Amino acid sequence: MRLLAACFLFIGAACSSESTQLEPDFPIEDTLRVSGSTFLTPETVAQQNDDFENPGYLWVERGADLFEQGETSCASCHVDGMEGVAARYPALDTETQTLINLEGRINLCRTRHQGLTALPYESDELLSLTAYIAEQSRGLPIDVEITPQTMSAFERGADYFMTRRGQLNLACTLCHDDNWGKQLRGDTISQGHSNGFPAYRFEWEDFGSLHRRLHDCDTGVRAEPVELGSQTYIDLEFYLAVRASGLELESPGIRR
Ligand code: HEC
Ligand code: HEC
């Protein structure tokens, strides 16, 4: 039933399998798609764009150090750097045929190629490495693909976005598709895009992942939040990336 609904909503996407690049339709028209930074004050945008004033660069710098560390360092294999990589994630890991995000890819490199353990989600080290890699795609447009292998993950993400939840019984779409630009508890609701993350949030007084932001939106409607780094949030992250296609990556972003 849910799949049918998604198929109906994303006309021609789930329902036809003729081409490998599938193009869903979203409620917000392409020409109206705007980054969350549109709703920030000019001062905050200026701070975000200034590498010295943007606190997120502390994590980028820490990530750069970690990238060079150890006998088999990340840098020893990735000599050409990471430009454009973050713009293509989440993506399929061909070996396991699983959709993974950037954090997941970093941890796979640790376990597969460095003989190290995976870093805990939201740990300072994982955030720093993610920030360091994401920063190398700053200004590049989000460019993820839906393929027959990733279609079901996309549909699960879409389903999460469209489903009412929590004591307030609200779906993501009701705020971020239907009511963006309106005020809510002293904040302007944006279109709920992922392109600023990982980001520094004033409310956190800290740097955090997209999943931490999703966790906050879930608890905001008093729903049981999902574990950070879980496949449910990775699928949702994928849906958000497709939905934000073409928007420029801003990480390390600054948000309220
Ligand atoms: C009750 C309204 C509401 C609901 C429901 C809601 N959010 Fe949000 N969301 C907000 C507000 C308010 C903010 C902070 C201001 C803004 O929109 O950037 C926010 C921020 C975000 C951001 C960060 C945007 C940025 O540029 O910093 C993302 C991503 C996001 N939401 C995704 C979601 C997802 C996914 C869901 C469903 C799981 C969801 N939201 C449910 C109100 C909501
Ligand atoms: C021994 C070599 C090696 C080391 C060390 C290594 N990687 Fe990788 N990395 C790879 C290979 C090979 C791939 C391609 C995917 C695969 O086969 O796992 C890859 C893929 C990636 C990708 C995705 C690139 C893309 O275009 O999709 C990222 C991001 C990445 N590595 C980050 C890191 C980070 C961060 C570290 C250190 C924590 C690291 N790697 C350590 C070999 C390595």
Side-chain angles (χ1 to χ4, degrees), residues 51-255:
D51 301 7
F52 294 100
E53 295 292 324
N54 182 336
Y57 272 91
L58 295 174
W59 280 264
V60 173
E61 280 162 27
R62 220 170 290 157
D65 290 342
L66 290 168
F67 202 78
E68 303 283 341
Q69 261 176 28
E71 228 168 275
T72 320
S73 69
C74 316
S76 69
C77 287
H78 296 291
V79 285
D80 295 332
M82 288 282 162
E83 195 185 327
V85 171
R88 292 187 276 101
Y89 274 74
L92 192 76
D93 175 48
T94 43
E95 198 173 313
T96 55
Q97 288 292 308
T98 319
L99 185 80
I100 55 170
N101 61 4
L102 199 52
E103 287 88 339
R105 173 57 78 200
I106 293 165
N107 269 335
L108 274 183
C109 272
R110 283 176 57 91
T111 53
R112 245 180 222 168
H113 302 301
Q114 293 183 304
L116 299 171
T117 52
L119 295 165
Y121 218 86
E122 220 59 25
S123 62
D124 214 55
E125 283 164 298
L126 187 55
L127 279 171
S128 299
L129 281 167
T130 309
Y132 173 64
I133 294 167
E135 198 274 341
Q136 294 176 56
S137 292
R138 248 193 163 204
L140 296 178
I142 296 184
D143 186 20
V144 293
E145 287 192 276
I146 311 178
T147 61
Q149 288 84 4
T150 55
M151 189 68 208
S152 58
F154 175 81
E155 281 174 339
R156 285 191 300 273
D159 196 43
Y160 198 94
F161 199 81
M162 300 298 165
T163 304
R164 288 176 180 270
R165 62 173 48 78
Q167 280 172 34
L168 302 187
N169 202 28
L170 291 171
C172 319
T173 184
L174 294 172
C175 283
H176 292 299
D177 286 327
D178 299 347
N179 284 298
W180 64 270
K182 295 188 186 152
Q183 295 294 310
L184 181 76
R185 289 182 226 113
D187 212 351
T188 309
I189 304 175
S190 75
Q191 296 175 354
H193 292 304
S194 51
N195 59 318
F197 289 82
Y200 186 90
R201 275 193 75 202
F202 296 129
E203 191 183 304
W204 295 334
E205 297 181 0
D206 197 6
F207 193 71
S209 69
L210 176 68
H211 290 195
R212 186 172 173 192
R213 173 71 254 190
L214 300 179
H215 173 282
D216 284 6
C217 279
D218 271 341
T219 51
V221 298
R222 297 193 203 117
E224 195 65 52
V226 178
E227 208 182 315
L228 309 190
S230 64
Q231 199 61 45
T232 301
Y233 270 171
I234 293 170
D235 292 346
L236 178 59
E237 179 177 352
F238 184 51
Y239 174 79
L240 291 177
V242 178
R243 182 175 173 269
S245 283
L247 285 184
E248 289 177 10
L249 284 188
E250 291 175 13
S251 184
I254 301 184
R255 295 294 187 266

